[in-house]
Structures are given as structure tokens and as C-alpha cells.
């Protein structure tokens, strides 16, 4: 199962996107529809509302008088809290029921207008944001939905801002063109990213990591923040800390386009406990790097940070992204071990020492060239000797500057 979070400001065009996904097999779980369903006549939700707010919130046919309820709830914070306390759990339960009924192979599209406002983005392996400029949305809401201009603007002003939506967007769909343009973007996203992502999750398969260096991408830091938020939500208390590590954590350094993240845990048993949560976050386990592994065999997956002759020092668990749109490595290491500490130290040292950064870039370029001809071993033969001295130099820098993880 893959759960996609779909959001966008009012009038942005979410309906076009969810309709496209739905036509191609996505199961739509629509927050607005559920919110209406749970207070239909005869529901436990409507009964609870009448108990709380009195029969004045009903129309003569017994259905909910929404404006009457809104007038009560929005006049008073306590009343609004009571309303939310009744409706939110029912919505959450109904949402869970629909998701469970969709089955293990389903791709679920959760259409959540207030996804950003309710801080739900990190729950999803992928967040899709539909965007149109405010003026465009106002015009569409007037023309197609019969809203007054004042109403449209007030609703837009009450919602999250464009920068807040950008912060959580793994995918940004622009709806300034025609509905057909948007549907075409949505279809391409579905076929090229969402379906392969879902297949990978089902097969517990990770996407191949890129092998070539690319110019430093100034958005890597923000992309990493989104991934860290997602991992924090899915790892909960089992993670002591979660950090952006590796070359993409060093501003301005050319690197392979893969975000490396370290999840620090108290024990490898905890890392194993995290495996299912990481899978549902979009990161299947790649391979367990265990103490009984012969080190040379592990060469392709043990990074430079894990090199020690004592296997107990380089043991870790390793997950990677199943999303074809965002290569990510998730290294799970034990708090306080040298490999965990060095992973934190290395980007800090490179960020502080421009000479070391330039040297490292040169080594990476040479390793890349060697790797093209001689494969992973040739690549490692170039990189490892440099790391031997880098390890000592980085710790010397830490001692001299007082750096601590
Ligand atoms: P949302 O679900 O995000 O609030 P909708 O999908 O309902 O927004 O779109 C708002 C209104 O604008 C709808 O009436 C829709 O028909 C119209 N609309 C959406 N996209 C376009 C577009 N590209 N061009 C013109 N009208 C559009």
C-alpha cells in the first residue's frame, strides 16, 4: 500500500488531479466527503453534536444546519474544541476504515484540503501539492463555484501560505494552464512516479542510487528537512536523533544526487523494530549489515564511515528510498559508536574547512572516473586511502574547535 497526500489551497484544482488518479486506479479518500458523511442523519456523529449544541443545529428535515453550527462553533474557542473533539475522531476512524478496505495493493490518495494546516504532511511517503496563484483561484471560485469575491478571499486568507505549502511539497503541480494541462501532468506523475513507487513498496525494492556527481543543488537542504520530518514521524521514540549527513549536507559541494540520512538508535534491536515503519514511510530495508558479514563482500554497501576492522563498530541497518523521484539512503546506526559519530562529524568538518572540501571533491571526481572503468572496487580503492587520513584530520579538527555531535 502506498498513501499519497494531496493538497492545495481552495480552488487550486485538486479535483482534477484526484479524478485523474482515480481514473487510473487510485483509491480516493476525500477529507471533505468524510467530514460530511460522519454527521449525516442517523449517525452517531450527528447525535453527539445535538447533545452538545442542542436541536437548534438541525434543519426541519433532521439534517445538520451547517451555518447554524458554524455560527456557534466559530463564536467560541471552547465550543470549537468540543466540535473538533466530536468530529475529528470520527473522521479519523472513517478514514482508517476506508484505507483498510482498499486492500494491500492499493494506492490511496488522501485529498486533504488542510494537510499543511493540520501538520499531516510527514505522515505520507509522498505529498503532492496543486498550485494556482491567488488571483487565478479567486476568479475560478467566482465563475465556477458561485462564491462571492469576499468569501473566496476570506477562505484563501484563512489557509496556509504558498511558502508553507512549498515546504511540504514533494511534487508541485502547476495549474495555471488548462484543466487538460493539469490532468496531463497528473497522469505523467501517476505513471512515472507513483505507480513504480507503489510497485517498489509492494516488492520491498529500493531504487538504484545515482552514480554520477552533479553540481551542488541549493534545494538539497530543504529536501532533506522534509525527509527528516517524515522519518521523525515514522520512527517516533525509537530514534534518538535523525540527521542529514553525507555530501548533500555540505552546502555548495558537488555530489551524487542522493540524500543521506542517519537515524540514531540506542541498539540494533531498535533498528530492527523500525523496519516496518520505514517501509510504510517509503524506505524498504536494503540489507542488514551484520557482524557476521565478511567485510570485503560488504564493500559496496558499507560506506567509508563504517570502516573499521572490528565489525561491531561498522554494523548498521540500511534502508533506501522506493520513490523513483528521490534517491535517499537511510543509515541506522547505534548512538555513540564511531561510525555514528563520524557520520555527524564529517559534513561538519567539510563545511568548516574549504581546503578539505576541495580535496574531497577532487577525490570523488577521481573515484568516479576509476569507477566507470573498474566498478565499485576501483571506486573504493581511490576513496578509501583518502578517508584514512580524513578520519584523523576530522577528529583533530573536532578536538581543536571543541566540536561535539
Ligand atoms: P479544489 O478542489 O482544489 O478546491 P477545484 O478542483 O474544485 O479546486 O477547482 C476549483 C474550480 O476551478 C472548479 O470549479 C474547477 O472546475 C475550476 N478549475 C480547476 N482547474 C481549472 C483550470 N485549469 N482552468 C479553469 N478552471 C479550472
Amino acid at each position: 500500500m502506498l498513501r499519497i497526500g494531496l493538497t492545495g489551497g481552495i480552488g487550486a484544482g485538486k479535483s482534477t488531479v484526484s479524478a485523474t488518479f482515480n481514473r487510473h486506479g487510485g483509491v480516493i479518500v476525500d477529507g471533505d466527503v468524510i467530514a460530511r458523511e460522519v454527521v449525516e442523519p442517523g449517525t452517531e456523529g450527528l447525535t453527539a453534536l445535538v447533545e452538545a449544541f442542542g436541536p437548534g443545529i438541525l434543519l426541519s428535515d433532521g439534517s445538520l444546519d451547517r451555518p447554524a453550527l458554524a455560527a456557534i462553533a466559530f463564536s467560541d474557542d471552547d465550543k470549537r474544541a468540543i466540535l473538533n473533539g466530536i468530529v475529528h475522531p470520527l473522521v479519523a476512524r472513517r478514514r482508517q476504515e476506508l484505507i483498510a478496505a482498499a486492500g494491500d495493493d492499493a494506492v490511496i490518495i488522501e485529498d486533504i484540503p488542510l494537510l499543511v494546516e493540520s501538520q499531516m504532511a510527514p505522515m505520507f511517503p509522498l505529498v503532492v501539492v496543486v498550485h494556482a496563484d491567488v488571483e487565478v483561484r479567486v476568479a475560478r471560485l467566482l465563475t465556477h463555484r458561485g462564491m462571492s469575491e469576499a468569501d473566496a478571499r476570506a477562505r484563501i486568507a484563512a489557509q496556509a501560505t504558498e511558502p508553507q505549502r512549498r515546504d511540504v511539497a514533494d511534487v508541485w503541480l502547476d495549474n495555471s494552464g488548462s484543466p487538460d494541462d493539469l490532468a496531463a501532468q497528473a497522469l505523467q506523475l501517476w505513471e512515472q512516479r507513483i505507480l513504480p513507487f507503489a510497485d517498489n513498496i509492494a516488492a520491498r525494492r529500493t531504487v538504484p542510487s545515482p552514480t554520477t556527481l552533479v553540481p551542488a543543488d541549493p534545494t538539497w537542504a530543504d529536501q532533506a528537512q522534509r525527509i527528516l520530518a517524515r522519518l521523525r514521524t515514522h520512527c517516533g521514540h525509537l530514534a534518538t536523533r535523525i540527521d542529514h549527513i553525507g555530501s548533500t549536507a555540505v552546502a555548495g559541494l558537488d555530489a551524487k544526487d542522493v540524500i543521506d540520512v542517519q537515524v540514531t538508535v540506542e541498539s540494533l534491536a531498535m533498528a530492527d523494530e523500525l523496519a516496518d515503519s520505514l517501509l510504510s514511510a517509503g524506505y524498504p530495508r536494503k540489507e542488514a549489515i551484520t557482524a557476521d558479514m565478511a567485510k570485503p563482500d560488504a564493500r559496496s554497501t558499507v560506506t567509508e564511515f563504517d570502516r573499521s576492522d572490528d565489525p561491531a563498530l561498522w554494523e548498521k541497518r540500511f534502508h533506501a528510498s522506493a520513490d523513483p523521484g528521490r534517491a535517499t539512503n537511510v543509515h541506522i546506526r547505534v548512538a555513540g559508536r564511531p561510525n555514528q559519530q563520524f557520520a555527524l562529524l564529517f559534513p561538519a568538518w567539510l563545511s568548516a574547512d574549504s581546503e578539505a572540501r576541495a580535496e574531497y571533491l577532487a577525490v570523488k571526481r577521481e573515484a568516479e572516473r576509476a569507477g566507470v572503468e573498474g566498478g565499485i572496487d576501483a571506486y573504493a580503492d581511490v576513496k578509501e586511502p583518502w578517508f584514512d587520513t580524513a578520519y584523523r584530520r576530522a577528529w583533530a579538527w573536532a578536538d581543536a574547535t571543541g566540536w561535539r555531535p
Side-chain angles (χ1 to χ4, degrees):
M1 169 176 296
L2 176 62
R3 290 171 62 188
I4 309 286
L6 172 65
T7 193
I10 182 166
K14 290 181 294 297
S15 326
T16 306
V17 175
S18 64
T20 305
F21 290 164
N22 187 230
R23 246 195 322 278
H24 292 87
V27 176
I28 311 299
V29 176
D30 184 323
D32 283 345
V33 172
I34 297 175
R36 281 193 295 274
E37 269 177 18
V38 298
V39 293
E40 271 169 8
T43 57
E44 113 190 49
L46 190 58
T47 306
L49 288 180
V50 172
E51 267 170 33
F53 301 112
I57 60 164
L58 294 179
L59 295 167
S60 55
D61 67 358
S63 67
L64 182 63
D65 182 348
R66 289 173 181 280
L69 178 62
I72 296 173
F74 288 97
S75 65
D76 180 326
D77 285 346
D78 290 342
K79 295 211 166 107
R80 189 156 64 241
I82 293 171
L83 170 64
N84 289 339
I86 294 171
V87 174
H88 285 180
L90 294 171
V91 169
R93 192 174 79 196
R94 182 73 188 133
R95 192 191 293 282
Q96 287 313 322
E97 281 168 10
L98 290 170
I99 291 170
D104 276 351
D105 296 336
V107 180
I108 313 273
I109 314 298
E110 297 194 45
D111 181 333
I112 308 181
L114 300 184
L115 179 134
V116 175
E117 295 80 347
S118 52
Q119 300 179 332
M120 287 170 78
M123 291 169 44
F124 296 95
L126 194 76
V127 171
V128 178
V129 174
V130 189
H131 169 77
D133 287 337
V134 170
E135 294 309 318
V136 172
R137 286 155 59 199
V138 170
R140 286 177 187 163
L141 290 170
L142 301 195
T143 315
H144 299 289
R145 289 224 207 134
M147 271 187 203
S148 74
E149 175 164 356
D151 190 16
R153 288 195 189 278
R155 284 166 190 251
I156 288 172
Q159 294 190 339
T161 60
E162 182 183 329
Q164 289 170 326
R165 288 202 188 90
R166 281 200 188 268
D167 279 347
V168 305
D170 296 300
V171 180
W172 188 257
L173 295 179
D174 184 74
N175 184 25
S176 7
S178 71
D180 284 350
D181 288 342
L182 180 62
Q185 289 182 66
L187 179 57
Q188 187 180 23
L189 171 65
W190 181 259
E191 289 179 335
Q192 295 182 5
R193 188 162 178 181
I194 295 177
L195 277 187
F197 192 172
D199 285 347
N200 287 341
I201 294 281
R204 293 169 156 61
R205 185 170 53 221
T206 61
V207 293
S209 233
T211 53
T212 52
L213 294 173
V214 297
D217 179 342
T219 73
W220 277 334
D222 288 344
Q223 294 188 50
Q225 286 312 311
R226 274 203 305 280
I227 295 167
L228 297 187
R230 175 175 297 139
L231 289 171
R232 277 189 207 105
T233 295
H234 284 83
C235 294
H237 68 281
L238 288 171
T240 309
R241 58 185 288 169
I242 306 184
D243 297 271
H244 182 200
I245 59 165
S247 290
T248 58
V250 181
L253 182 62
D254 295 356
K256 294 176 203 154
D257 187 9
V258 50
I259 305 281
D260 282 278
V261 170
Q262 175 167 272
V263 176
T264 297
V265 290
E266 287 301 321
S267 69
L268 286 171
M270 283 183 171
D272 292 333
E273 268 184 65
L274 282 173
D276 287 344
S277 307
L278 288 172
L279 176 66
S280 58
Y283 308 97
R285 177 179 276 189
K286 206 159 166 184
E287 54 276 288
I289 313 266
T290 56
D292 55 5
M293 254 182 187
K295 195 176 170 210
D297 294 335
R299 199 170 198 187
S300 61
T301 55
V302 175
T303 69
E304 297 75 15
F305 313 135
D306 303 282
R307 345 182 25 249
S308 161
D309 291 330
D310 178 359
L313 298 182
W314 51 259
E315 256 188 307
K316 67 168 176 180
R317 297 294 179 263
F318 186 36
H319 291 242
S321 175
D323 173 6
R326 178 64 269 165
T328 306
N329 291 327
V330 182
H331 312 261
I332 315 180
R333 299 194 180 101
V334 175
R337 289 199 186 174
N339 59 353
Q340 182 264 350
Q341 300 273 295
F342 188 65
L344 299 174
L345 166 62
F346 188 62
W349 171 56
L350 287 185
S351 297
D353 184 335
S354 60
E355 218 168 282
R357 205 158 61 231
E359 253 178 50
Y360 183 44
L361 181 58
V363 168
K364 288 205 295 184
R365 291 220 168 97
E366 195 191 328
E368 186 186 13
R369 273 193 299 275
V372 169
E373 283 161 25
I376 186 76
D377 280 330
Y379 175 89
D381 284 342
V382 174
K383 255 180 131 183
E384 287 189 1
W386 186 78
F387 264 94
D388 281 336
T389 62
Y391 190 85
R392 283 190 290 276
R393 286 161 65 197
W395 278 115
W397 171 82
D399 287 343
T401 59
W403 178 89
R404 291 280 168 280

